[in-house]
C-alpha cells in the first residue's frame, strides 16, 4: 500500500521522489532538522541495542537529542514506567520478549517529547494479549492530546484507536473519514458470515452469486457476503453452502467493519 514508505518520508528517513510533505508547516526536505525535532518515530523493527539494557538505550537516544543528563534520566524513568518496563530497566534487551521490545520502541520514540508520534505497525506479530497492552499505551497517549499517525493492517486496531482513518491502496489514499462514517458508506448492507471447516472455490462461487455486486470476503474457514435483506438471504446462504458439501459450523449476521470498507473500495481483502 505504501504505508511504511509514507512514514519514512514524514520521519525524514526517505526523500520523496515527487510531491511535498510537511510536518507542522516544516518541509521534510528543506527543513529536516526541524522536522526530526518535532517527530517521534517508532518503526516496525526494534531500534534498541540488544546488548544494552532498557535504561541505557533510553539514555543513548536522549543524548542524540541533546537532553541534559538529569532531564534525560527523569524522562527515561517516566517513560519506562508508562510502558510497564521500569522494573526491568536494568535487564538486557536481548532477554526481552517481542511485546516488551515493542513497548521499549514506543518509549524511545517519546524521549524527545515529540509533537507528532509516528507508529509503523506497532503490534504486527504480537500475540493478542501483547497487542492489547500496546493499544492501552496508545490510548493513554491519545488521551494526552498527542497527534499520532498509526500505520496498521489490522482493521480492528484502526477502528478502536483512530479518530480518522485513511485507507491506502497502491500508494494512494482512497478514503479518509471517521471509522463510523466509513462503515456507514457501505450503505444499508448487512453481512452474513458462514463459518466452515474448509473454504472451497465452489463455496465462494455459490455465495458470490448471493452477495451484493458479487463481492465476498473469505479466509481459511469463513466466507462473508453482503446483502440488503438478511432475513431472506440467510436460508438461501445456508442452502447454497450445503449444496456444495460445505461443513458449516456457524452462520451469523452482523454490521459492516472497516475491512468490509476496504474490500468494497479495493476489490480485495487485506492479507
Amino acid at each position: 500500500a505504501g504505508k511504511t514508505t509514507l512514514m519514512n518520508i514524514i520521519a525524514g528517513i526517505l526523500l520523496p521522489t515527487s510531491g511535498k510533505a510537511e510536518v507542522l508547516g516544516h518541509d521534510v526536505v528543506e527543513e529536516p532538522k526541524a522536522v526530526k525535532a518535532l517527530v517521534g518515530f517508532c518503526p516496525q523493527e526494534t531500534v534498541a541495542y540488544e546488548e544494552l539494557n532498557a535504561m541505557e538505550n533510553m539514555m543513548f537516544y536522549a543524548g542524540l537529542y541533546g537532553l541534559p543528563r538529569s532531564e534525560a534520566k527523569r524522562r527515561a524513568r517516566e517513560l519506562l514506567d508508562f510502558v510497564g518496563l521500569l522494573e526491568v530497566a536494568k535487564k538486557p534487551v536481548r532477554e526481552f520478549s517481542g511485546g516488551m521490545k515493542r513497548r521499549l520502541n514506543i518509549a524511545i520514540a517519546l524521549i524527545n517529547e515529540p509533537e507528532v508520534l509516528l507508529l509503523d505497525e506497532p503490534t504486527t506479530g504480537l500475540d493478542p494479549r501483547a497487542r492489547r497492552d500496546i493499544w492501552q499505551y496508545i490510548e493513554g497517549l491519545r488521551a494526552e492530546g498527542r497527534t499520532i499517525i498509526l500505520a496498521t493492517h489490522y482493521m480492528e486496531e484502526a477502528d478502536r484507536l483512530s479518530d480518522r482513518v485513511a485507507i491506502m491502496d497502491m500508494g494512494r489514499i482512497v478514503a479518509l473519514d471517521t471509522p463510523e462514517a466509513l462503515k456507514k458508506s457501505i450503505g444499508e448492507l448487512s453481512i452474513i458470515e458462514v463459518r466452515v471447516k474448509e473454504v472451497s472455490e465452489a463455496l465462494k462461487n455459490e455465495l458470490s452469486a448471493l452477495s451484493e455486486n458479487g463481492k465476498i470476503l473469505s479466509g481459511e474457514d469463513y466466507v462473508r457476503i453482503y446483502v440488503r435483506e438478511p432475513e431472506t438471504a440467510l436460508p438461501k446462504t445456508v442452502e447454497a453452502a450445503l449444496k456444495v458439501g460445505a461443513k458449516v459450523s456457524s452462520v451469523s449476521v452482523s454490521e459492516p467493519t472497516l475491512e468490509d470498507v476496504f474490500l468494497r473500495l479495493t476489490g480485495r481483502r487485506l492479507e
Side-chain angles (χ1 to χ4, degrees), residues 229-260:
E229 299 179 0
E231 297 84 359
T232 303
L234 191 59
K236 293 180 181 178
T237 301
V238 175
E239 183 181 349
L242 295 176
K243 175 183 172 183
V244 295
K247 295 183 178 179
V248 179
S249 58
S250 68
V251 180
S252 61
V253 179
S254 63
E255 297 307 307
T257 66
L258 285 181
E259 190 160 2
D260 300 306

Side-chain angles (χ1 to χ4, degrees), residues 195-238:
R195 288 270 169 183
V196 295
K197 186 175 182 181
E198 185 178 356
V199 173
S200 65
E201 287 300 318
L203 176 63
K204 289 194 284 187
N205 291 336
E206 282 291 324
L207 296 188
S208 176
L210 299 174
S211 188
E212 188 80 8
N213 297 323
K215 289 188 176 181
I216 63 171
L217 185 69
S218 64
E220 291 183 2
D221 62 352
Y222 71 89
V223 178
R224 304 178 84 179
I225 67 171
Y226 306 91
V227 299
R228 295 194 180 278
E229 299 179 0
E231 297 84 359
T232 303
L234 191 59
K236 293 180 181 178
T237 301
V238 175

Side-chain angles (χ1 to χ4, degrees), residues 46-57:
T46 301
V47 298
Y49 292 95
E50 303 233 332
E51 66 273 17
L52 302 179
N53 63 39
M55 178 60 76
E56 288 167 341
N57 269 287

Side-chain angles (χ1 to χ4, degrees), residues 45-61 80 83 85 88-108:
E45 65 274 7
T46 301
V47 298
Y49 292 95
E50 303 233 332
E51 66 273 17
L52 302 179
N53 63 39
M55 178 60 76
E56 288 167 341
N57 269 287
M58 295 293 291
M59 294 299 289
F60 169 75
Y61 280 99
L80 289 174
V83 297
L85 294 176
V88 292
K90 298 297 179 67
K91 187 176 181 178
V93 172
R94 64 174 175 269
E95 297 178 15
F96 280 15
S97 66
M100 292 167 73
K101 289 178 181 177
R102 294 295 175 88
R103 285 186 272 154
L104 181 56
N105 256 20
I106 293 174
I108 289 171

Side-chain angles (χ1 to χ4, degrees), residues 95-251:
E95 297 178 15
F96 280 15
S97 66
M100 292 167 73
K101 289 178 181 177
R102 294 295 175 88
R103 285 186 272 154
L104 181 56
N105 256 20
I106 293 174
I108 289 171
L110 291 167
I111 193 66
N112 63 322
E113 295 192 85
E115 293 190 45
V116 179
L117 179 62
L118 307 175
L119 303 176
D120 190 9
E121 303 201 17
T123 66
T124 297
L126 298 182
D127 62 63
R129 181 175 178 180
R131 180 175 298 147
R132 291 184 183 279
D133 285 343
I134 297 293
W135 288 358
Q136 183 179 341
Y137 303 128
I138 294 172
E139 286 171 333
L141 294 168
R142 178 184 173 187
E144 292 177 3
R146 290 186 186 273
T147 298
I148 302 170
I149 302 177
L150 168 71
T152 181
H153 60 269
Y154 296 123
M155 292 296 99
E156 179 189 3
E157 184 166 272
D159 200 348
R160 172 169 168 170
L161 299 176
S162 303
D163 296 306
R164 289 198 305 164
V165 173
I167 295 179
M168 290 185 69
D169 181 44
M170 303 297 288
R172 294 184 179 277
I173 292 177
V174 295
L176 175 62
D177 213 325
T178 65
E180 286 306 313
L182 287 173
K183 285 181 284 187
K184 286 179 180 177
S185 71
I186 286 185
E188 300 302 317
L189 297 180
S190 294
I191 299 159
I192 297 178
E193 180 176 279
V194 182
R195 288 270 169 183
V196 295
K197 186 175 182 181
E198 185 178 356
V199 173
S200 65
E201 287 300 318
L203 176 63
K204 289 194 284 187
N205 291 336
E206 282 291 324
L207 296 188
S208 176
L210 299 174
S211 188
E212 188 80 8
N213 297 323
K215 289 188 176 181
I216 63 171
L217 185 69
S218 64
E220 291 183 2
D221 62 352
Y222 71 89
V223 178
R224 304 178 84 179
I225 67 171
Y226 306 91
V227 299
R228 295 194 180 278
E229 299 179 0
E231 297 84 359
T232 303
L234 191 59
K236 293 180 181 178
T237 301
V238 175
E239 183 181 349
L242 295 176
K243 175 183 172 183
V244 295
K247 295 183 178 179
V248 179
S249 58
S250 68
V251 180

